[in-house]
Each structure stands twice: as structure tokens, then as C-alpha cells.
Amino acid sequence: MESVIGLVNRIQRACTVLGDYGADDSLPTLWNSLPTIVVVGGQSSGKSSVLESIVGRDFLPRGSGIVTRRPLVLQLYKTDPGQEEYAQFLHLGKRRFTDFSMVRAEIQEETDRVTGRTKQISTLPINLSIYSPNVVNLTLIDLPGLTKVAVVGQPESIVQEIENIVRSYVEKPNCIILAITPANQDVATSDAIKLAREVDPTGERTFGVLTKLDLMDRGTHALDVLEGRSYRLQRPWVGIVNRSQADINRNVDMMAARRREREFFATSPDYGHLASRMGSEYLAKLLSKHLESVIKARVPSIMSMINKSIDELEAELDHLGRPVAIDAGAQLYSILELCRAFDQIFKEHLDGGRPGGDRIYGVFDYQLPAALRKLPFDHHLSLQNVRKVVLEADGYQPHLVAPEQGYRRLIEGALSYFRGPAEASVDAVHFILKELVRKSIGETQELKRFPTLQAGIAAAANEALERFHDDSKKTVLRMVDMESSYLTVDFFRKLPQEVEKGGNPAVSTADRYTEGHFRRIGSNVSSYVGMVSEMLRNTIPKAVVYCQVREAKQSLLDHFYAQLGKKEGQQLAQLLDEDPVLMERRQQCGRRLELYKSARDEIDSVLWAR
Ligand code: GDP
Ligand code: MG
């Protein structure tokens, strides 16, 4: 079953490498679901000493004040007898430490590296693995000691901060609490027990550890505590005798200390009957066995949690999109893909499938004809105005046969009215196209990640639309002007003639200035204008579609593409300047996903090996 603990050790290492130590609420965490053993107690209660005697090695920093200022994740790996003991730090890769005093120095340095020399504390754990024939497979976490007062140079807030860190570990239901209480202190006032009782009221995951049994006043003993009468826990209490400060000063080695501890219990008149269930070696085995059973029971639920999280993370990564390419070629490709995605949506708006294109037809079918109908021809061709224009055109010499000049002026005047509706159609379609560009930009989901490119495409599309607009306006106005520059002769030839065949005037000169004569002129001009109006109603839409809609469909981004072709790598990268928040999030999700997948593989391999 040792492989099961090894498995948890490996997953815990992966968690630390990939930044999962349960602190970030926005990502699923694997760390929090793994069982851990956490050492909790007041300052100088003997936490570090307990850890050292479980390991059988001397390697933790000591001193007065708050020495442990970052969580220390200590992973113990049992190796074959005779193998050399060594330690490895996760942050130092494969470097092996065989001198354990160097381990101590490195813990101190690494603590300061993150917390600064101001003696702040940090939640970021240090990960230390120890490989030794003298340990059992176990993961233990050393935490800053609970304290009531800050020392000089430390902010008052540190007391609360430490409690928060400790709490954040022990609160988790999968945390096994090693509550350290010195025997020369009343259990009732033990900080460790107080906190443990709060977060684990039934006591099922709390192991009570009583240190400093050798320091009790002569004639007193701790049997009431050790036999569970003072304070009842579901797990047995374990008594410990660590090295005293004097032992440490005298460099008493750990093996000798373990031996002395064994002797202490074996020969003690008070604890002799409990000797087989006391001491650091027993505690280590007890914890290892417990951890094993906890892990075994938890594997199925961890596995289903892992699978669920993998699904969630993959869904989120899909939503966030692929990471941005690094080389210029791939970047250009990505940009073109994004442009195409936008262009595609824009075309769907025009061609149908998405709404909006129909509004262009609305301009041709309703707006243009209505505007043409509203032109003030009634007034322009009123009897009064016809007479005025014709007489003015005649000048001092009244016309002889037909008022040629008068006709021309009346027709030209009428035709100029068509400029208004022609321009209005161009403007209306321009407005619709701009609106469709705006909509399509918003609907291109992939573009949301790239605000710079998004703005670039929008600007390029709008510039193109302006150009099409100008061109279209010129074209339709030219069509109107063309109507005035050459009149359809046939139309007038087919009119009932006021002139007899043979060229003789059929009406007397006096008749030419009667009301009927001008009315006839007015009505002739009106039907000519009506004919032109009918024609423009058909040709203006053709011109507008040709110059604006068709161009927008075919070459909206052509200029943009041409500019892209000239851009260097750096400029392309700028266009793909992704929202940094998104980038960060994708990285986090990616790392977490990697963690879950490797954890799944680890668990799979262990399950299959059984
Ligand atoms: P921590 O602050 O909880 O990590 O406590 P330490 O492990 O650093 O121990 C604080 C002091 O108590 C050190 O001087 C240890 O030598 C001493 N100490 C710890 N446990 C025992 C013990 O069981 N017996 C004796 N005599 N001294 C102990
Ligand atoms: Mg300590």
C-alpha cells in the first residue's frame, strides 16, 4: 500500500509545480482534495522537533520568534536499507542535499526570498522531499506557530495572519491535524487543541501529541491526557520526548535521541505500560497507516472530482480560445482567419441567414419610390410656372412652332429634383452597411479576445464603406445628370404634333399662348419626367448595389489585407495584443488542466498496478 502514499506525494508535488496549493478560489483545486498531515501548535511547543524526530534528521531552522514563516510541505520517501539519505527542494530541481545543515540554510534563504527580510509570512509553501531508509512514506506540513504577540519588528497583524494560514489548512475536511501540546502546559489552554476542536469537533481527524514529557514537574505525570481522560479524541494520544535545547546545543544526533526516547518510555514507572504506543517512531507509523486508509477511501471521489474538473477546464479553455501563435507567419494566418470569420458573418447579414440585408431592399422598394413620388412636380409644372418658364425662355422672340427652349428648361429643372432621392438612397444604404459592420464585429466571438485587431478591422471596414459611399454617390448623381444632358428624342416625336405635316403651322400664333397650349406643354413634360422617374427607380438601386453592396461583399477588407502584407512581425504581434486578463486566465487553466491530467494518469497507473 506504500504506493498509494507515494501517489499522493507525487500529486502534491505536481500541485506545487503547477501552482495549486488551494489558495485560488477561481480554479478547481486538487490540492484541497488530497489528505495531508498538518502540524499545529503554539510557538515552541515542539512542532519542528516532532517533525525532525519523525524524519530522524536534524534539518529545520530554529531560533526565537517566528521561525517558520512559510508552510513547509515535507514529503518523506522510504528508500531501501543502506541507501544514502538525501533531500531535494522542488524549487531547486534535481539538486541533492546530503548535508542536512545545508537543508536548514536553504529553508531559511528560500523563506526570506519570498517573505523578504522584514520577517513577513507567506502562504506560498516550500516543498521539501526527503529520501531515506529511516522514514515512512508520509507528507507532513509544518506551519508557523500560533502566537499571541508579535515580536519587535513584526506588524501586529502577523498574529492574525498566522492564525489565518493555519486555519486555511486545518479547516479542510481532508486535513489530518497533528495537534502539538507541551506536557508542561495545561491541555485546557492548548492553542492547538482549541483550534482543532473548533474545526474538527468530533475529533476524528485530530491526533493529539504531547511533547516535553521529560520536562514535567517531578512527581507529576500526564496519564490523564495520554489515556484520553482529560480531553477525549477519537484517535489515541501519543507522548513524545524530543531533544532538549541542551541536547541540540551538544549536537546529540537524532538516532541517539530516538534511542533515548525509547528508553524513557520503557523505563518510566508512569508510562511503561504504554511504551509500545509512545514515541516519535510509533507516531510516524500510526500516521502512515492512517494516511493510507484515508487515501484508499478517498481515491474514488478524488478520481470523479478530477474527471469533472478536467471537463470544466476544457470547456473553459474552449471558450477562451487557442493561445496566440508566436511566429509571424502563424500570426498572420491567425489574423486572416479572424478577418475571414468577421467577413463571413458580415456576408451572412447581406445574403440572408442573419438579419439586416433585407433593410437594403426596403430602401429600394419603399423609401426610394416614396421619395420620388413626393417630388414637387405639381408645383414645377403648374400652369403658372410653365407659362413663366416658357415665356422667359422665348425672350423677345416668341417661339414659332414648339417652345424648344421652354421644354428644355422645364425638363432640366424637373430632373434636378431627382438628385435628392438618389443621394438619399446612397446614404440610407451606407447607414445600413455601417450598422451591419458594427453588428458583425460584435458577433465575431473570436475577435473579442483581441481588442486591437477588433478595432483595426472595424476601422478598415468603415473606411472602405466611406469609399464605396463616395463612389456610389458620384455614380447616381452622374446618372441623373446624364438624363438632363441628352433628352430622349423619340418621346417627343411620338407626341401628338401641334405642327402639321408639311411644316405649316396648324394653329394660329394667338392660339400658342392660350391656357390649353401651356397645359399641353406641362402635361408633355410631366409624362417625360414620369418616364425618367420610372427608369431611375430601377437604375438607382442597380448603381447602389453595384457600387456599395457588391463592393462591400467582395472587397470590404481588401485595403486592410494589403496593409497587413506590409507589416513586420512586431506589428502583427501588436494586432494580436490579447487582453492580458484572458491570457493569464488561459495560462492558469492550462496549467491546472495539465495537473489534473497527470494526476489522473498517476492514479490510473497505481490502480492498474494493484
Ligand atoms: P516549535 O516552535 O513548535 O517548532 O518548537 P521547537 O521544535 O523549535 O522546540 C522549541 C524548544 O523546545 C527547543 O529548544 C526544543 O529543544 C525544545 N523541545 C521541544 N520538544 C522537547 C521535548 O520533548 N523535551 C525537551 N526537553 N525539550 C523539547
Ligand atoms: Mg518550528
Side-chain angles (χ1 to χ4, degrees):
M1 229 23 242
E2 280 184 349
S3 61
V4 172
I5 294 179
L7 165 73
V8 169
N9 283 355
R10 282 198 297 277
I11 297 177
Q12 273 169 343
R13 283 170 71 85
C15 283
T16 309
V17 173
L18 296 165
D20 177 6
Y21 41 94
D24 183 351
D25 282 336
S26 72
L27 287 165
T29 158
L30 188 52
W31 178 271
N32 286 353
S33 68
L34 297 173
T36 46
I37 299 174
V38 169
V39 185
V40 182
Q43 261 190 69
S44 295
S45 57
K47 296 181 299 300
S48 298
S49 300
V50 167
L51 281 182
E52 283 182 334
S53 54
I54 288 176
V55 177
R57 272 297 194 165
D58 200 335
F59 63 97
L60 290 172
R62 293 167 183 284
S64 59
I66 305 170
V67 178
T68 310
R69 282 177 290 112
R70 280 175 67 182
L72 176 78
V73 178
L74 185 62
Q75 301 190 320
L76 307 181
Y77 296 86
K78 185 174 180 57
T79 54
D80 293 335
Q83 298 266 330
E84 193 186 19
E85 280 179 302
Y86 66 93
Q88 276 179 337
F89 285 96
L90 194 60
H91 65 272
L92 293 179
K94 296 217 172 298
R95 191 169 142 203
R96 290 185 179 195
F97 289 74
T98 47
D99 177 352
F100 279 75
S101 63
M102 297 290 284
V103 172
R104 187 199 334 268
E106 179 56 35
I107 294 175
Q108 261 155 350
E109 256 168 50
E110 175 59 20
T111 299
D112 285 345
R113 203 174 61 75
V114 168
T115 61
R117 297 215 163 256
T118 52
K119 307 289 179 220
Q120 300 289 324
I121 55 169
S122 162
T123 54
L124 188 67
I126 298 176
N127 203 300
L128 173 64
S129 299
I130 293 178
Y131 299 81
S132 162
N134 308 321
V135 298
V136 285
N137 288 325
L138 211 53
T139 296
L140 297 151
I141 299 174
D142 192 15
L143 293 174
L146 295 164
T147 175
K148 300 221 163 41
V149 283
V151 296
V152 182
Q154 281 173 334
E156 272 307 315
S157 62
I158 205 161
V159 174
Q160 190 57 47
E161 275 175 60
I162 291 176
E163 190 179 325
N164 291 345
I165 291 192
V166 175
R167 220 172 248 285
S168 76
Y169 279 84
V170 297
E171 259 169 7
K172 283 162 197 155
N174 53 320
C175 170
I176 298 160
I177 304 168
L178 217 52
I180 312 284
T181 306
N184 54 357
Q185 184 200 319
D186 188 356
V187 180
T189 65
S190 159
D191 291 328
I193 290 297
K194 215 177 107 219
L195 187 60
R197 185 163 28 193
E198 231 180 88
V199 297
D200 174 31
T202 57
E204 62 189 324
R205 54 189 182 90
T206 302
F207 285 80
V209 176
L210 208 57
T211 56
K212 306 193 183 181
L213 282 172
D214 58 317
L215 291 185
M216 290 187 76
D217 290 340
R218 210 180 282 271
T220 62
H221 60 72
L223 281 176
D224 278 350
V225 177
L226 291 176
E227 292 179 337
R229 287 187 295 276
S230 297
Y231 184 75
R232 194 152 183 80
L233 291 169
Q234 295 212 13
R235 314 281 163 198
W237 280 82
V238 179
I240 297 273
V241 176
N242 291 312
R243 290 178 306 166
S244 66
Q245 192 57 48
D247 293 338
I248 293 170
N249 296 347
R250 271 187 285 125
N251 270 328
V252 171
D253 83 84
M254 292 299 298
M255 289 304 139
R258 273 191 182 177
R259 211 162 39 240
R260 276 230 323 254
E261 187 188 33
R262 268 199 303 273
E263 275 166 26
F264 174 89
F265 287 111
T267 60
S268 159
D270 295 319
Y271 311 119
H273 63 295
L274 295 174
S276 64
R277 288 182 277 132
M278 294 288 131
S280 12
E281 279 170 280
Y282 174 76
L283 177 63
K285 287 195 191 108
L286 181 69
L287 290 176
S288 184
K289 232 172 82 194
H290 180 71
L291 190 60
E292 230 175 66
S293 69
V294 168
I295 295 171
K296 232 159 82 180
R298 205 151 277 172
V299 162
S301 74
I302 291 180
M303 207 49 175
S304 75
M305 189 282 277
I306 287 177
N307 286 328
K308 186 169 148 267
S309 303
I310 286 179
D311 289 347
E312 280 170 14
L313 287 165
E314 275 176 344
E316 181 166 355
L317 279 170
D318 279 350
H319 183 74
L320 289 172
R322 282 168 299 154
V324 182
I326 301 165
D327 67 298
Q331 283 176 341
L332 183 60
Y333 181 80
S334 304
I335 293 174
L336 292 177
E337 287 275 272
L338 290 163
C339 291
R340 264 193 285 277
F342 157 77
D343 208 37
Q344 180 63 33
I345 289 176
F346 180 68
K347 279 189 182 123
E348 284 170 19
H349 275 295
L350 287 179
D351 289 340
R354 287 175 195 257
D358 51 314
R359 281 168 53 206
I360 294 178
Y361 178 67
V363 172
F364 302 150
D365 187 48
Y366 171 75
Q367 197 175 317
L368 174 63
L372 291 174
R373 271 197 304 277
K374 277 197 211 109
L375 291 177
F377 294 131
D378 281 355
H379 176 260
H380 184 66
L381 299 177
S382 65
L383 184 61
Q384 207 181 353
N385 197 47
V386 170
R387 177 186 284 131
K388 179 168 163 277
V389 172
V390 169
L391 292 181
E392 275 174 15
D394 278 354
Y396 71 93
Q397 166 75 74
H399 59 268
L400 299 177
V401 184
E404 182 88 11
Q405 282 304 320
Y407 265 113
R408 276 192 193 285
R409 290 207 188 163
L410 281 171
I411 289 173
E412 271 165 29
L415 291 182
S416 70
Y417 284 113
F418 286 119
R419 296 174 74 97
E423 278 186 295
S425 300
V426 170
D427 291 344
V429 169
H430 180 62
F431 180 78
I432 293 170
L433 290 175
K434 265 171 68 172
E435 181 63 19
L436 293 184
V437 162
R438 196 184 61 78
K439 264 185 150 168
S440 307
I441 287 280
E443 286 165 5
T444 313
Q445 292 306 325
E446 307 93 302
L447 265 182
K448 292 212 158 68
R449 276 165 67 188
F450 307 107
T452 311
L453 180 60
Q454 189 185 46
I457 293 180
N462 280 321
E463 261 170 47
L465 289 184
E466 292 300 335
R467 277 197 309 277
F468 305 152
H469 172 259
D470 292 350
D471 188 40
S472 182
K473 186 164 275 186
K474 265 188 218 133
T475 305
V476 294
L477 290 181
R478 194 168 272 187
M479 281 166 50
V480 172
D481 292 347
M482 272 154 46
E483 289 300 330
S484 332
S485 67
Y486 188 73
L487 305 183
T488 309
V489 189
D490 246 17
F491 178 87
F492 293 96
R493 291 209 177 115
K494 286 191 187 111
L495 286 178
Q497 296 297 309
E498 287 183 38
V499 178
E500 264 192 358
K501 286 188 187 112
N504 295 326
V507 282
S508 69
T509 314
D511 282 346
R512 281 179 199 135
Y513 298 96
T514 59
E515 221 170 79
H517 176 63
F518 289 115
R519 232 183 263 289
R520 223 167 8 254
I521 293 171
S523 113
N524 286 344
V525 170
S526 169
S527 52
Y528 184 80
V529 167
M531 179 193 76
V532 172
S533 173
E534 184 63 22
M535 204 154 57
L536 288 177
R537 194 167 62 80
N538 291 315
T539 53
I540 287 175
K542 290 181 206 286
V544 167
V545 167
Y546 184 83
C547 298
Q548 288 174 277
V549 182
R550 192 192 64 123
E551 281 298 306
K553 252 176 76 174
Q554 288 182 351
S555 56
L556 188 64
L557 294 180
D558 278 6
H559 263 245
F560 189 65
Y561 292 146
Q563 285 166 353
L564 272 185
K566 292 185 211 131
K567 283 201 197 307
E568 305 287 329
Q570 184 56 31
Q571 292 166 304
L572 290 176
Q574 267 164 15
L575 275 180
L576 288 178
D577 211 0
E578 202 181 6
D579 185 345
V581 177
L582 277 181
M583 226 148 58
E584 171 67 21
R585 180 73 189 171
R586 179 184 313 97
Q587 268 170 14
Q588 283 176 345
C589 286
R591 274 200 300 268
R592 199 52 60 96
L593 184 62
E594 197 188 319
L595 167 66
Y596 279 102
K597 284 185 169 165
S598 71
R600 185 174 59 183
D601 293 347
E602 296 267 12
I603 294 176
D604 270 347
S605 69
V606 169
L607 293 183
W608 283 106
R610 272 203 277 179

